[in-house]
Amino acid sequence: MTDCFRTRLRRGDTLVGPIVTINSPEVVEVLDEVGFDWLFLDGEHAPLSPGHLQRLMIAARRTPCVVRVPAHDEFWIKQALDGGAAGILAPLVNTAAQARAIVSRAKYPPVGARGVGTARALGYGYSIADYVGRANEETAVILQAEHRDAVANIEEIAATPGVDAIFVGPFDLSLSMGKPGQVADPDVVQAITHVRDAVQGRGLPLGIFGVAPESVSGWMGRGFTLIACGVDIMLLGGAARSMLAHLQSSHERGP
């Protein structure tokens, strides 16, 4: 039996996947065929409703999906997990109190306070006992450190019981530090390194996002194992631009 996503995450396996923003099951089916370790479904910045997210998860037949919820509230966490997500990624977690609340909303009693419904993850009501019996062990809770306040409080956040990984958002972090988009700035790099050291000290996995492979490969060599690289719509645009440039260049050179 294949290990679940949370087991692989906690073990420190290198897990690579793109961000999905397009509301298209066909796009997810294509990405599912590629062989990624996970898919990052962006419920925060993409126009994806809970129904959209569930249909995308249905299309990902073999690849675990982690949903970045747009808020920490019970509704979004419940909708993502009931829809079949292997885990949630909570954005802008700046305090241990926020971390504790997120864990509680993602876990069933006695660990947390998640409620039971006849949703997809529970076999539409036909496998409630089976799912509830294993969900706490199989559901990944990933918190995003993407603000200078998170950096300041990272030791307490990472020490929160039930947190499975910390995921760094370098672009928003740079913005909060007054250096928008300057993810290679020494101060931003130092902040990310501080997060890394604190999280590794707690024995938790680390994640990070980059638009291109070269933006994450260096961090992969420094202990980051949960890798989100590329965005579906940017991958499409990049391939199209490359093709057009190649054909235009060939035409200018002539036969």
Side-chain angles (χ1 to χ4, degrees):
M1 182 178 177
T2 303
D3 289 330
C4 72
F5 174 82
R6 181 174 182 264
T7 295
R8 298 189 65 201
L9 174 68
R10 292 299 301 249
R11 191 167 60 207
D13 292 2
T14 299
L15 305 173
V16 177
I19 294 182
V20 176
T21 66
I22 303 171
N23 180 25
S24 169
E26 291 83 2
V27 167
V28 169
E29 284 184 318
V30 170
L31 296 174
D32 184 54
E33 291 288 340
V34 172
F36 289 113
D37 300 292
W38 68 302
L39 297 179
F40 179 137
L41 306 189
D42 193 1
E44 182 188 17
H45 291 297
L48 299 173
S49 70
H52 296 148
L53 290 164
Q54 178 168 298
R55 285 188 284 274
L56 297 181
M57 287 187 272
I58 291 171
R61 294 172 296 170
R62 293 167 295 186
T63 312
C65 294
V66 173
V67 174
R68 177 161 65 179
V69 292
H72 303 168
D73 62 74
E74 180 183 8
F75 171 80
W76 282 104
I77 292 173
K78 186 183 296 182
Q79 288 289 310
L81 296 177
D82 283 0
I88 58 161
L89 198 162
L92 206 63
V93 179
N94 295 334
T95 68
Q98 290 176 325
R100 289 192 296 270
I102 291 163
V103 170
S104 178
R105 291 162 186 160
K107 300 290 185 176
Y108 288 118
V111 178
R114 181 182 171 190
V116 174
T118 57
R120 175 176 178 257
L122 297 92
Y124 300 102
Y126 291 101
S127 56
I128 291 176
D130 172 66
Y131 177 76
V132 171
R134 57 186 170 80
N136 282 355
E137 287 299 316
E138 295 183 0
T139 299
V141 177
I142 305 163
L143 308 183
Q144 197 156 359
E146 53 180 340
H147 192 276
R148 62 185 182 184
D149 291 345
V151 176
N153 296 320
I154 193 61
E155 287 86 357
E156 294 83 4
I157 294 170
T160 303
V163 173
D164 292 305
I166 300 296
F167 189 94
V168 175
F171 289 94
D172 280 338
L173 176 58
S174 69
L175 183 63
S176 77
M177 296 175 68
K179 301 184 177 187
Q182 301 175 48
V183 296
D185 179 90
D187 290 339
V188 178
V189 172
Q190 183 178 13
I192 296 174
T193 301
H194 174 70
V195 171
R196 181 201 64 179
D197 293 345
V199 173
Q200 286 183 330
R202 288 289 175 178
L204 291 181
L206 287 150
I208 198 164
F209 163 73
V211 173
E214 54 270 19
S215 62
V216 295
S217 57
W219 291 110
M220 292 174 71
R222 299 173 66 185
F224 287 75
T225 56
L226 181 64
I227 308 300
C229 186
V231 182
D232 54 3
I233 201 163
M234 295 180 72
L235 293 170
L236 174 62
R241 286 184 175 184
S242 178
M243 179 189 70
L244 178 60
H246 178 79
L247 292 175
Q248 289 175 332
S249 176
S250 298
H251 175 71
E252 290 170 0
R253 291 198 302 267

